[in-house]
Amino acid sequence: MHEFTFKNNELYCETIRVGDIAKRIPTPFYLYSYKTLLDHYRKIRRAFSSIKPLICFSVKSNSNLAVLKALVKNGAGLDIVSGGELYRARLVGASPEKIVYAGVGKKADEIGNAIKFGILFFNVESEEELEEIQRIAHSMKKRVRVGLRINPDVIPKTHDYIVTGKGESKFGLDFETAHKIFNSKRRFPNLDICGVHIHIGSQILTSEPFENAIKKVLSFLNKERIPVKYFNIGGGLGIVYSLENPQTAKSFAKKVLPMLKKSRLKIILEPGRFISGNSGVLVTKVIYTKRTPRKKFIIVDSGMNDLLRPSLYEAYHKIVPVKLAENSSDTSERLDVVGPICETGDFLGKDRFLPQLNRGDLLAVMGAGAYGFTMSSNYNSRPRAAEVMVIGKGFHVVRRHENYRDLTRGEVIPRVLR
Ligand code: LLP
């Protein structure tokens, strides 16, 4: 459920007409609903309330400071994957003891800063990384908590690019290596190897792959008598983009809670998309309509630089007109909604059926709150979109549009070229 709904043929975000926001904010812009964000966070918290897990919102899905602040203020922790995300976490006042840090390529300065800040633990993805954290912890005279990210080799049904828990993916440690590390703890005197972590993929619609992965890890811990305190079960819960019928937080919890309770471990969850995905839309404007002998195109003012998911994963995002004409119904004409970028792969939607559209009409690309702005770029030297959040009765620009100066910030023409 989300708070982007039609009333009298007009799209609203909570109680505010999206068309009214677009009168004040030039398109394209991302529009977030605070209420939806919080609702989704609370849904997952409620579903797992019997074990009081730590819920670390996955910053990579939406790292806007207002989004992070809203969640942190309401008790969320954060799952980070870079020094930049740590910087954001600090800016919103996140408690260090609610931060977990994953990623296969953590660099020394990033590790050092996270140790200094006192994060809960690192999710370690290789032996060399473990050695590096040991080296840095030793030089800082600190004892540092780490969890081992295990690649449980399960096959979740999702897009190949977002599977992470299959044996051949770059993430995590195989059971054998993890076992070896647990058996050689003495090699890491400054590390408290107190947790295990899994994250098997993203946009996973059923609970079986999670159940399988959790089962595998718990039986590994039992069999090898490995004493840990934390079990971070990652993120990955799928959401509705079109006709998907994903598990709810409640049904997911029902399936995995018995095992988790029995383990008596402190559980951590890292949902990203589940919280932010349907909390945001991308609002864009029709610049031109164009007909070729083969096809009809609606050319809009945002493209793959703003929302990469359709181009990269052929992801489906529903596209709706912000205002429907009286008695409007979809025409029988198949059309592509495309951006202004000079790439054939620059589309937001292919083979769609939409009502009659004209220049200047507004469209909303739904389900764009996760991996939308965070994956955007300046390709074709296009300034990045603004981000706006509806909170209660008002809306707030939570990131202004970039301008041309932003585009060239940091660039220098060397004297020899002048
Ligand atoms: N934890 C870890 C260690 C992760 O790598 C991720 C996502 C998450 C949690 C959150 O996953 P979520 O709950 O959002 O599924 N760009 C892709 C998704 C990539 C996900 C990367 N890792 C997309 O647009 O579909």
Side-chain angles (χ1 to χ4, degrees), residues 10 16-27 29 283 285 322-323 362 395:
E10 293 199 60
I16 303 184
R17 252 196 300 250
V18 174
D20 287 346
I21 301 175
K23 281 184 193 144
R24 302 266 302 280
I25 313 287
T27 55
F29 59 88
V283 181
K285 191 182 271 175
V322 163
K323 190 170 183 174
L362 295 169
F395 64 89

Side-chain angles (χ1 to χ4, degrees), residues 189-370:
N190 291 72
L191 304 186
D192 175 12
I193 308 179
C194 58
V196 281
H197 172 226
I198 48 171
H199 170 73
I200 57 174
S202 201
Q203 185 57 9
I204 300 169
L205 300 171
T206 62
S207 54
E208 288 93 69
F210 293 104
E211 288 174 62
N212 292 341
I214 291 172
K215 241 182 245 162
K216 270 186 152 179
V217 171
L218 289 176
S219 66
F220 163 71
L221 295 177
N222 272 339
K223 192 169 138 239
E224 309 296 346
R225 295 174 192 280
I226 293 169
V228 288
K229 183 170 168 201
Y230 299 96
F231 186 9
N232 178 345
I233 63 169
L237 293 177
I239 62 165
V240 178
Y241 285 104
S242 140
L243 300 170
E244 299 89 347
N245 185 17
Q247 73 246 293
T248 60
K250 210 167 150 187
S251 63
F252 172 61
K254 216 168 146 187
K255 287 276 169 59
V256 298
L257 268 174
M259 287 188 274
L260 297 178
K261 274 186 184 158
K262 203 170 143 210
S263 77
R264 295 169 160 266
L265 296 169
K266 170 85 186 159
I267 302 301
I268 297 170
L269 292 132
E270 300 174 328
R273 187 190 321 260
F274 183 86
I275 293 174
S276 56
N278 279 320
S279 306
V281 302
L282 172 63
V283 181
T284 185
K285 191 182 271 175
V286 177
I287 317 176
Y288 300 117
T289 66
K290 169 173 173 173
R291 193 182 293 279
T292 70
R294 298 262 180 91
K295 245 187 166 157
K296 178 157 184 189
F297 295 98
I298 301 294
I299 301 162
V300 296
D301 64 358
S302 67
M304 65 190 289
N305 64 305
D306 293 309
L307 182 65
L308 184 60
R309 303 192 72 254
S311 306
L312 190 59
Y313 314 118
E314 293 185 30
Y316 179 94
H317 286 260
K318 193 170 174 187
I319 300 175
V320 297
V322 163
K323 190 170 183 174
L324 293 163
E326 284 290 316
N327 305 322
S328 74
S329 58
D330 291 356
T331 61
S332 55
E333 199 170 16
R334 197 186 281 268
L335 52 83
D336 287 4
V337 179
V338 300
I341 299 282
C342 302
E343 294 262 357
T344 306
D346 176 34
F347 62 91
L348 296 176
K350 274 193 172 166
D351 297 326
R352 302 297 174 89
F353 294 94
L354 289 169
Q356 174 65 36
L357 289 167
N358 300 305
R359 293 183 67 186
D361 285 348
L362 295 169
L363 294 174
V365 185
M366 307 301 288

